[in-house]
PDB file of all heavy atoms in Angstrom:
ATOM      1  N   GLU A  61      43.087 -73.507  45.923  1.00 94.00           N
ATOM      2  CA  GLU A  61      43.853 -74.294  44.946  1.00 94.00           C
ATOM      3  C   GLU A  61      43.411 -74.001  43.510  1.00 94.00           C
ATOM      4  O   GLU A  61      44.098 -74.350  42.561  1.00 94.00           O
ATOM      5  CB  GLU A  61      43.714 -75.800  45.235  1.00 94.00           C
ATOM      6  CG  GLU A  61      44.363 -76.248  46.529  1.00 94.00           C
ATOM      7  CD  GLU A  61      45.881 -76.080  46.560  1.00 94.00           C
ATOM      8  OE1 GLU A  61      46.483 -75.785  45.508  1.00 94.00           O
ATOM      9  OE2 GLU A  61      46.449 -76.211  47.654  1.00 94.00           O
ATOM     10  N   ARG A  62      42.255 -73.374  43.377  1.00 94.00           N
ATOM     11  CA  ARG A  62      41.772 -73.016  42.040  1.00 94.00           C
ATOM     12  C   ARG A  62      42.091 -71.551  41.770  1.00 94.00           C
ATOM     13  O   ARG A  62      42.003 -70.717  42.671  1.00 94.00           O
ATOM     14  CB  ARG A  62      40.260 -73.202  41.943  1.00 94.00           C
ATOM     15  CG  ARG A  62      39.802 -74.649  42.011  1.00 94.00           C
ATOM     16  CD  ARG A  62      38.297 -74.728  42.167  1.00 94.00           C
ATOM     17  NE  ARG A  62      37.593 -74.222  40.991  1.00 94.00           N
ATOM     18  CZ  ARG A  62      36.318 -73.826  40.988  1.00 94.00           C
ATOM     19  NH1 ARG A  62      35.609 -73.886  42.097  1.00 94.00           N
ATOM     20  NH2 ARG A  62      35.761 -73.383  39.887  1.00 94.00           N
ATOM     21  N   ALA A  63      42.412 -71.229  40.511  1.00 95.00           N
ATOM     22  CA  ALA A  63      42.605 -69.819  40.149  1.00 95.00           C
ATOM     23  C   ALA A  63      41.275 -69.111  40.359  1.00 95.00           C
ATOM     24  O   ALA A  63      40.212 -69.723  40.239  1.00 95.00           O
ATOM     25  CB  ALA A  63      43.048 -69.712  38.694  1.00 95.00           C
ATOM     26  N   PRO A  64      41.307 -67.821  40.677  1.00 95.00           N
ATOM     27  CA  PRO A  64      40.036 -67.118  40.856  1.00 95.00           C
ATOM     28  C   PRO A  64      39.367 -66.851  39.507  1.00 95.00           C
ATOM     29  O   PRO A  64      39.977 -67.061  38.457  1.00 95.00           O
ATOM     30  CB  PRO A  64      40.463 -65.808  41.508  1.00 95.00           C
ATOM     31  CG  PRO A  64      41.828 -65.564  40.986  1.00 95.00           C
ATOM     32  CD  PRO A  64      42.458 -66.933  40.860  1.00 95.00           C
ATOM     33  N   ALA A  65      38.115 -66.424  39.547  1.00 93.00           N
ATOM     34  CA  ALA A  65      37.432 -65.932  38.345  1.00 93.00           C
ATOM     35  C   ALA A  65      37.014 -64.523  38.734  1.00 93.00           C
ATOM     36  O   ALA A  65      35.889 -64.284  39.155  1.00 93.00           O
ATOM     37  CB  ALA A  65      36.234 -66.800  38.007  1.00 93.00           C
ATOM     38  N   ALA A  66      37.971 -63.596  38.704  1.00 94.00           N
ATOM     39  CA  ALA A  66      37.713 -62.287  39.289  1.00 94.00           C
ATOM     40  C   ALA A  66      38.330 -61.136  38.501  1.00 94.00           C
ATOM     41  O   ALA A  66      37.782 -60.035  38.478  1.00 94.00           O
ATOM     42  CB  ALA A  66      38.234 -62.254  40.723  1.00 94.00           C
ATOM     43  N   GLN A  67      39.475 -61.370  37.865  1.00 95.00           N
ATOM     44  CA  GLN A  67      40.136 -60.315  37.106  1.00 95.00           C
ATOM     45  C   GLN A  67      40.395 -60.866  35.707  1.00 95.00           C
ATOM     46  O   GLN A  67      41.378 -61.578  35.493  1.00 95.00           O
ATOM     47  CB  GLN A  67      41.473 -59.902  37.716  1.00 95.00           C
ATOM     48  CG  GLN A  67      41.483 -59.673  39.217  1.00 95.00           C
ATOM     49  CD  GLN A  67      41.827 -60.916  40.014  1.00 95.00           C
ATOM     50  OE1 GLN A  67      41.281 -61.114  41.080  1.00 95.00           O
ATOM     51  NE2 GLN A  67      42.692 -61.779  39.523  1.00 95.00           N
ATOM     52  N   SER A  68      39.499 -60.582  34.792  1.00 93.00           N
ATOM     53  CA  SER A  68      39.611 -61.126  33.449  1.00 93.00           C
ATOM     54  C   SER A  68      41.016 -60.950  32.879  1.00 93.00           C
ATOM     55  O   SER A  68      41.560 -59.848  32.868  1.00 93.00           O
ATOM     56  CB  SER A  68      38.576 -60.437  32.557  1.00 93.00           C
ATOM     57  OG  SER A  68      38.585 -61.048  31.294  1.00 93.00           O
ATOM     58  N   GLY A  69      41.613 -62.058  32.448  1.00 96.00           N
ATOM     59  CA  GLY A  69      42.956 -62.032  31.862  1.00 96.00           C
ATOM     60  C   GLY A  69      44.076 -61.996  32.881  1.00 96.00           C
ATOM     61  O   GLY A  69      45.252 -62.079  32.519  1.00 96.00           O
ATOM     62  N   HIS A  70      43.737 -61.884  34.161  1.00 97.00           N
ATOM     63  CA  HIS A  70      44.759 -61.777  35.214  1.00 97.00           C
ATOM     64  C   HIS A  70      44.447 -62.697  36.392  1.00 97.00           C
ATOM     65  O   HIS A  70      44.775 -62.374  37.528  1.00 97.00           O
ATOM     66  CB  HIS A  70      44.874 -60.327  35.700  1.00 97.00           C
ATOM     67  CG  HIS A  70      45.307 -59.382  34.633  1.00 97.00           C
ATOM     68  ND1 HIS A  70      46.625 -59.081  34.380  1.00 97.00           N
ATOM     69  CD2 HIS A  70      44.575 -58.717  33.703  1.00 97.00           C
ATOM     70  CE1 HIS A  70      46.695 -58.241  33.357  1.00 97.00           C
ATOM     71  NE2 HIS A  70      45.471 -57.999  32.928  1.00 97.00           N
ATOM     72  N   ASN A  71      43.788 -63.808  36.097  1.00 97.00           N
ATOM     73  CA  ASN A  71      43.428 -64.707  37.197  1.00 97.00           C
ATOM     74  C   ASN A  71      44.565 -65.639  37.599  1.00 97.00           C
ATOM     75  O   ASN A  71      44.751 -65.924  38.775  1.00 97.00           O
ATOM     76  CB  ASN A  71      42.201 -65.532  36.808  1.00 97.00           C
ATOM     77  CG  ASN A  71      40.931 -64.689  36.845  1.00 97.00           C
ATOM     78  OD1 ASN A  71      40.680 -63.982  37.806  1.00 97.00           O
ATOM     79  ND2 ASN A  71      40.145 -64.754  35.776  1.00 97.00           N
ATOM     80  N   ARG A  72      45.307 -66.087  36.615  1.00 97.00           N
ATOM     81  CA  ARG A  72      46.340 -67.062  36.914  1.00 97.00           C
ATOM     82  C   ARG A  72      47.413 -66.463  37.838  1.00 97.00           C
ATOM     83  O   ARG A  72      47.798 -65.313  37.684  1.00 97.00           O
ATOM     84  CB  ARG A  72      46.994 -67.544  35.615  1.00 97.00           C
ATOM     85  CG  ARG A  72      47.546 -68.963  35.798  1.00 97.00           C
ATOM     86  CD  ARG A  72      48.580 -69.316  34.792  1.00 97.00           C
ATOM     87  NE  ARG A  72      48.001 -69.539  33.470  1.00 97.00           N
ATOM     88  CZ  ARG A  72      48.702 -70.080  32.481  1.00 97.00           C
ATOM     89  NH1 ARG A  72      49.948 -70.419  32.655  1.00 97.00           N
ATOM     90  NH2 ARG A  72      48.139 -70.242  31.299  1.00 97.00           N
TER      91      ARG A  72
END
Side-chain angles (χ1 to χ4, degrees):
E61 293 296 350
R62 292 169 66 200
Q67 314 91 216
S68 186
H70 298 270
N71 286 312
R72 207 200 287 192

